[in-house]
Amino acid sequence: MPKEPDFIHDLNEQQKRAVRHTEGPLLIVAGAGSGKTRVLTYRIAYLIQQQKAAPDDILALTFTNKAAKEMKERIQQLIGDEARKLWMGTFHSVFSKILRFEAEKIGFTSNYSIYDMEDSKNAIKQLLRENNYDPKEIRPRTIQRLISDAKNELIYPDHYQEKFVHSTLDDITAKIYGQYVERLKHNNAMDFDDLLVKPIELFQKNEDVLEKYQDRFKYILIDEYQDTNHAQYKVTNMLAEKYKNLCVVGDDAQSIYSFRGADIHNILDFKNDYEDAVEIPLEQNYRSTQAILKAADSIIKNNESQLDKTLWTDNDMGDTITVLDNYDERDEANRVANYIKELKARKGYDYNDFAILYRTNYQSRVYEETFRRKGIPYQLVGGLSFYQRKEIKDVLAYLTLLINPDDDTNLVRIINEPSRGIGNKSLHDLMARARSTNQSLWQVLKNVDQIDLYKPAENSVKDFVAMINELKNDLKNNEKLINVTKKLLEKSGYMKSLVEENSPKSMTRRENILELENAISYFEKNNNNASLSSFLQEISLITDTDKYDEEKPAVTMMTVHAAKGLEFPAVFVVGLEEELFPVGSRNNEEVNIEEERRLFYVAITRAQEVLFFSHCRSRYKYGEEQRKRRSRFLDEVSSDVVRTETGSSIKQDKDRFSEKNSSSSQNGDTRIEYDWKKPLYKKKNRSSNNTQVYYDNPDEDPFQVGAKVEHNIFGQGKIISRSGEGEKTKVVIYFKERQQRKTLMLRVAKLRVIG
């Protein structure tokens, strides 16, 4: 056996154990900042250096392209160019690559399209219309979410009706789900969920294919295992079944993606799935000060479902955490901006050393306005993606047709973009012909002579088909992608239409398209045998975090979800108020407080040296100012490490949400006492002839957030927020059957509490 490499001495004892354990199932419980990326990269390098495996015997799965790229570069530094042969990337990128090789075995071609969220939504919207549903009443995004949830749980259309049809919405979803699956196959397309589900179908239907990839990937490593969903769990278990050399790395305390199907039990139950699995905890934190680590530990200890570990660090105690008590969100943004300038001057930080973390994207607006006014540069992670802009989506739709003309969704998008005389009536007739003859729209367009179509529209269709065929031939003749793209933009008239419009908006769109040309040119120069298919696949799998530029001299603003895996010298966690962080109930669903607490833990552990918590006493929502209560999490943080701006201890009420400090309402719900000095309710005497009853105490009022109520017209619903006082009290109610939110004046709504 080769001598152990020198790089093994860079690790602590637990990290060495994890790297040296090469055979059999292994669970590495890696606390925040404990060097898990180093352990993963060193373990892969060690497997190759010790000749346990060739590079292409190893499959490494990550959750971001950025993480995969960083790991591959580190491994290359350790062992050289052999690292290029590794199969390493996100679940979606790796399995989409496998599907390119094997797609024909499940009824697709290798040039299948990958639908992003908007493509998927548009396909569902079209199906709703074909079934005579109004997309304004039955929201395509809602149907899309329900279908996505079902796919990730491996619940297929023929079983959906059995499991989930409890309402009109479920019934519609069951109907659309089956048609959507058929439409995708008809279009030779897969959505993001299919990139995980279809490999399972492939392996189940083709045992020889499964065995081929089991033998190919003798060692499998998975990063961020706590974020895997059921489909990811299933497909990796299938691949690992033969050799069982499955190494998973994760931290149950950072499981924050249940809303997209992640199942924390995958990591909690790993040792039940693999009885001979070895568990190695990584508990030494290299990132944060002792004060920050103590704050994180005091928070996460309140959760019941967790693996046993205690983080520690050799770092200094560091500064205490400062709590900012603000009047409203504008006050909060101004004070955060002032602290950034003060810390920059006092500690010598650069702007990219700062991060502002919030629970929801809409919170960024007031910071953007404030920073622009104060001249503070910033970068926003999680806004509208470059590849989601209309003009970019249009050009990509054209390019997609060159390799997959049967993709009806993309064809409909650009057949009359820019306008070429194929109006809605003509398009409707063409699509009706396609449906009635079970052909793709492209097949109908190629034979437009067989249809009684408006003559000018028919001529436009012929010109369109001729253009697409000419560009397809250019690709077949190995013309450069950038040249084909430029020719497409000229022949289609797309760029000309933007120039002729000559508005600031059209000029911005033109500049964006020129930037897309730069991206295509760069891709072509930096990839051997670059193909249009591989380019479209790469950009379809780009995530928000992949676009984060850590070198950009600007303050970073992002949600806590987007921040996972990153670190900053100074962090501001803002909006720490009840119903914001932790978030309030959504879509009639109860909030998972343990997951919200894990999310707060993730926010805390992004900080290396300086940490601020911030909350507001009031905040505007739905156009009205609402009083806010500070987050319960501020009462859970160790009082040893948090201080007010004046340096005094913050007043905490750790029992604020316990049973002894809550009361039961008339509807049987348990609610938290309000602790505002200023009353939220006006006193008014009750009388027999006065139906407008007000309450001296909030706990007497049954119409609180979370209460289930009934309205004479809208039916049953749930109060999701309320605002105002006395006669001006308003409630926002989500009526599930109607899929609508309604804002009603409480004094005239005639609501009835139903339990």
Side-chain angles (χ1 to χ4, degrees):
M1 182 171 294
K3 179 185 174 183
E4 276 201 333
D6 290 338
F7 62 69
I8 201 78
H9 303 301
D10 297 340
L11 307 175
N12 65 36
E13 289 307 310
Q14 288 297 84
Q15 291 173 334
K16 287 177 184 176
R17 279 188 62 206
V19 167
R20 287 169 173 157
H21 184 89
T22 58
E23 305 304 312
L26 173 65
L27 169 62
I28 303 174
V29 184
S34 62
K36 72 176 179 64
T37 302
R38 170 174 282 199
V39 169
L40 268 176
T41 54
Y42 278 40
R43 190 172 193 275
I44 293 170
Y46 188 83
L47 284 168
I48 297 169
Q49 189 273 339
Q50 291 288 294
Q51 299 178 5
K52 296 283 185 179
D56 53 5
D57 288 337
I58 299 170
L59 172 63
L61 297 167
T62 66
F63 271 81
T64 67
N65 297 303
K66 189 177 190 310
K69 182 181 178 182
E70 179 185 331
M71 285 172 59
K72 185 169 278 192
E73 287 174 351
R74 289 192 189 183
I75 296 168
Q76 220 168 327
Q77 291 171 2
L78 294 172
I79 64 170
D81 288 342
E82 281 187 284
R84 294 179 183 273
K85 300 176 184 177
L86 287 166
W87 277 64
M88 177 177 288
T90 65
F91 276 87
H92 291 91
S93 65
V94 166
F95 286 107
S96 66
K97 185 178 177 180
I98 291 174
L99 287 169
R100 293 287 178 199
F101 294 135
E102 314 290 350
E104 292 182 3
K105 294 182 175 65
I106 52 173
F108 292 80
T109 75
S110 61
N111 286 329
Y112 64 83
S113 302
I114 298 177
Y115 279 9
D116 62 18
M117 293 286 283
E118 186 183 348
D119 298 327
S120 172
K121 185 192 75 173
N122 288 338
I124 290 170
K125 182 188 288 187
Q126 182 61 37
L127 287 169
L128 286 169
R129 286 174 175 152
E130 290 175 17
N131 285 275
N132 298 316
Y133 297 117
D134 184 352
K136 292 181 180 178
E137 291 187 5
I138 307 297
R139 296 171 60 196
R141 185 71 76 194
T142 301
I143 303 293
Q144 180 187 49
R145 179 178 63 83
L146 293 171
I147 290 174
S148 177
D149 290 347
K151 282 188 176 185
N152 285 317
E153 288 297 316
L154 301 181
I155 298 167
Y156 302 104
D158 51 346
H159 294 123
Y160 187 91
Q161 193 134 9
E162 301 171 14
K163 292 180 177 287
F164 290 108
V165 176
H166 307 301
S167 68
T168 302
L169 177 61
D170 290 333
D171 192 47
I172 294 170
T173 302
K175 184 177 183 180
I176 297 298
Y177 185 9
Q179 295 177 8
Y180 174 66
V181 169
E182 289 300 316
R183 182 63 52 86
L184 285 176
K185 193 165 188 177
H186 182 80
N187 290 357
N188 191 34
M190 299 185 197
D191 62 21
F192 275 10
D193 298 316
D194 287 330
L195 299 181
L196 303 177
V197 174
K198 291 299 180 184
I200 296 172
E201 178 186 337
L202 171 70
F203 295 150
Q204 288 176 334
K205 291 181 177 179
N206 302 273
E207 290 186 11
D208 58 325
V209 176
L210 172 60
E211 189 169 0
K212 178 176 79 172
Y213 286 100
Q214 286 176 334
D215 287 332
R216 178 69 180 269
F217 304 129
K218 296 182 176 66
Y219 290 87
I220 301 173
L221 300 92
I222 305 176
D223 191 14
E224 305 286 8
Y225 192 65
Q226 76 280 350
D227 293 330
T228 53
N229 61 30
H230 184 60
Q232 290 163 325
Y233 166 85
K234 175 75 174 177
V235 72
T236 50
N237 278 7
M238 292 175 79
L239 286 173
E241 177 63 27
K242 187 169 185 178
Y243 294 99
K244 291 185 170 53
N245 290 323
L246 176 62
C247 169
V248 301
V249 184
D251 180 7
D252 56 295
Q254 297 184 68
S255 178
I256 58 174
Y257 290 113
S258 68
F259 67 92
R260 68 184 189 195
D263 187 351
I264 192 174
H265 292 95
N266 290 347
I267 190 168
L268 295 179
D269 297 340
F270 184 80
K271 293 179 73 175
N272 294 332
D273 294 335
Y274 297 91
E275 292 181 1
D276 56 342
V278 172
E279 178 179 337
I280 300 176
L282 303 181
E283 298 175 308
Q284 183 175 0
N285 176 283
Y286 293 94
R287 175 186 300 156
S288 305
T289 64
Q290 292 181 32
I292 291 170
L293 212 57
K294 186 169 184 178
D297 189 62
S298 63
I299 283 291
I300 205 62
K301 293 297 185 188
N302 288 280
N303 275 5
E304 294 182 8
S305 301
Q306 56 183 301
L307 296 171
D308 185 34
K309 63 182 175 302
T310 301
L311 292 185
W312 60 275
T313 184
D314 282 334
N315 295 338
D316 295 336
M317 175 57 71
D319 298 341
T320 55
I321 299 159
T322 303
V323 177
L324 306 182
D325 183 354
N326 310 286
Y327 175 71
D328 61 15
E329 62 265 47
R330 286 165 183 77
D331 182 35
E332 180 181 56
N334 272 305
R335 297 172 78 196
V336 168
N338 291 338
Y339 269 108
I340 286 173
K341 288 195 168 186
E342 187 266 328
L343 285 167
K344 190 172 183 294
R346 179 164 59 87
K347 286 184 172 280
Y349 288 147
D350 294 322
Y351 279 123
N352 59 348
D353 290 328
F354 296 95
I356 299 172
L357 307 183
Y358 36 75
R359 181 63 180 81
T360 56
N361 274 310
Y362 77 81
Q363 291 172 258
S364 70
R365 180 187 60 80
V366 69
Y367 286 93
E368 293 182 75
E369 293 174 356
T370 301
F371 282 24
R372 283 196 294 266
R373 190 172 65 250
K374 290 180 175 287
I376 297 176
Y378 65 88
Q379 65 170 323
L380 192 63
V381 179
L384 180 65
S385 163
F386 174 80
Y387 290 104
Q388 292 299 314
R389 299 180 188 279
K390 179 192 179 302
E391 62 276 12
I392 302 302
K393 290 282 291 180
D394 287 344
V395 177
L396 294 177
Y398 271 109
L399 291 171
T400 298
L401 292 182
L402 302 186
I403 57 173
N404 183 20
D406 292 328
D407 185 341
D408 286 0
T409 298
N410 278 304
L411 179 50
V412 168
R413 181 185 183 97
I414 49 82
I415 191 171
N416 201 42
E417 184 66 52
S419 177
R420 52 176 58 92
I422 306 173
N424 289 336
K425 173 66 168 60
S426 298
L427 182 57
H428 179 272
D429 292 343
L430 292 164
M431 292 180 68
R433 177 61 174 247
R435 299 287 173 260
S436 65
T437 57
N438 196 29
Q439 298 181 83
S440 70
L441 183 56
W442 174 250
Q443 294 296 326
V444 172
L445 296 184
K446 289 197 301 182
N447 300 290
V448 71
D449 289 334
Q450 300 175 11
I451 304 174
D452 183 18
L453 200 66
Y454 180 53
K455 198 63 179 178
E458 180 183 326
N459 292 333
S460 294
V461 167
K462 290 179 178 177
D463 290 342
F464 177 81
V465 170
M467 175 187 69
I468 296 297
N469 282 332
E470 181 181 347
L471 293 165
K472 286 172 65 180
N473 286 332
D474 288 343
L475 279 180
K476 288 179 182 177
N477 293 328
N478 297 318
E479 183 64 65
K480 286 188 174 182
L481 298 184
I482 185 61
N483 294 339
V484 172
T485 304
K486 288 181 176 180
K487 186 174 180 180
L488 182 156
L489 290 166
E490 178 190 349
K491 289 273 187 181
S492 66
Y494 199 96
M495 286 294 259
K496 182 182 178 182
S497 69
L498 294 177
V499 172
E500 289 176 345
E501 183 180 329
N502 196 29
S503 67
K505 188 174 184 179
S506 69
M507 290 301 101
T508 299
R509 288 181 168 176
R510 181 174 175 274
E511 289 169 2
N512 287 336
I513 291 174
L514 293 174
E515 183 58 32
L516 176 63
E517 289 183 4
N518 292 337
I520 292 171
S521 181
Y522 180 85
F523 177 83
E524 200 161 23
K525 288 177 181 177
N526 289 274
N527 289 274
N528 295 328
N529 303 315
S531 67
L532 179 56
S533 176
S534 59
F535 173 74
L536 293 173
Q537 173 173 309
E538 178 169 292
I539 63 173
S540 71
L541 300 174
I542 290 174
T543 66
D544 287 338
T545 307
D546 295 326
K547 298 188 287 291
Y548 162 63
D549 181 2
E550 62 187 21
E551 299 299 325
K552 186 174 181 178
V555 176
T556 300
M557 299 183 196
M558 59 172 63
T559 64
V560 183
H561 283 101
K564 194 157 81 69
L566 303 178
E567 58 186 31
F568 303 88
V571 169
F572 294 82
V573 185
V574 300
L576 284 166
E577 299 129 33
E578 286 296 306
E579 298 187 10
L580 182 55
F581 201 171
V583 74
S585 60
R586 298 178 299 222
N587 300 327
N588 220 19
E589 297 173 357
E590 293 302 317
V591 175
N592 182 338
I593 289 298
E594 291 217 346
E595 176 150 334
E596 288 291 305
R597 190 175 284 114
R598 292 194 294 268
L599 192 60
F600 186 43
Y601 172 86
V602 167
I604 293 172
T605 53
R606 298 314 92 200
Q608 296 171 294
E609 300 169 4
V610 177
L611 180 59
F612 285 78
F613 296 149
S614 180
H615 68 95
C616 299
R617 291 175 179 260
S618 67
R619 187 178 291 272
Y620 272 86
K621 193 172 183 181
Y622 305 119
E624 291 190 356
E625 187 176 12
Q626 297 183 6
R627 298 296 300 273
K628 306 297 292 184
R629 292 173 295 158
R630 78 180 194 192
S631 172
R632 70 189 71 187
F633 297 150
L634 292 176
D635 292 329
E636 296 177 354
V637 180
S638 172
S639 58
D640 296 344
V641 293
V642 290
R643 293 290 183 270
T644 66
E645 291 174 271
T646 61
S648 59
S649 299
I650 66 169
K651 294 181 179 179
Q652 294 175 311
D653 182 3
K654 295 186 182 296
D655 295 323
R656 180 154 62 105
F657 290 87
S658 66
E659 262 184 52
K660 70 178 183 180
N661 204 21
S662 63
S663 64
S664 295
S665 69
Q666 297 173 25
N667 66 3
D669 291 337
T670 299
R671 291 191 308 282
I672 290 52
E673 286 186 0
Y674 286 68
D675 56 0
W676 295 106
K677 295 178 181 178
K678 179 180 177 182
L680 294 178
Y681 296 77
K682 293 181 179 178
K683 295 183 179 180
K684 184 162 184 168
N685 294 327
R686 298 173 174 82
S687 63
S688 58
N689 61 354
N690 186 355
T691 58
Q692 298 176 12
V693 179
Y694 305 105
Y695 300 87
D696 298 344
N697 186 308
D699 289 325
E700 298 177 19
D701 182 353
F703 300 106
Q704 297 282 5
V705 171
K708 297 175 183 178
V709 296
E710 187 171 54
H711 187 274
N712 289 340
I713 297 175
F714 304 122
Q716 295 183 2
K718 187 173 183 179
I719 298 175
I720 59 175
S721 72
R722 63 179 286 160
S723 60
E725 298 179 7
E727 293 184 355
K728 295 182 179 180
T729 302
K730 293 181 181 179
V731 290
V732 179
I733 303 173
Y734 177 74
F735 294 98
K736 185 176 181 181
E737 191 68 24
R738 288 173 170 259
Q739 287 186 272
Q740 289 180 329
R741 294 185 182 195
K742 293 287 184 181
T743 302
L744 305 173
M745 295 292 292
L746 193 56
R747 67 183 176 85
V748 296
K750 296 182 179 179
L751 297 172
R752 183 169 65 89
V753 175
I754 58 175

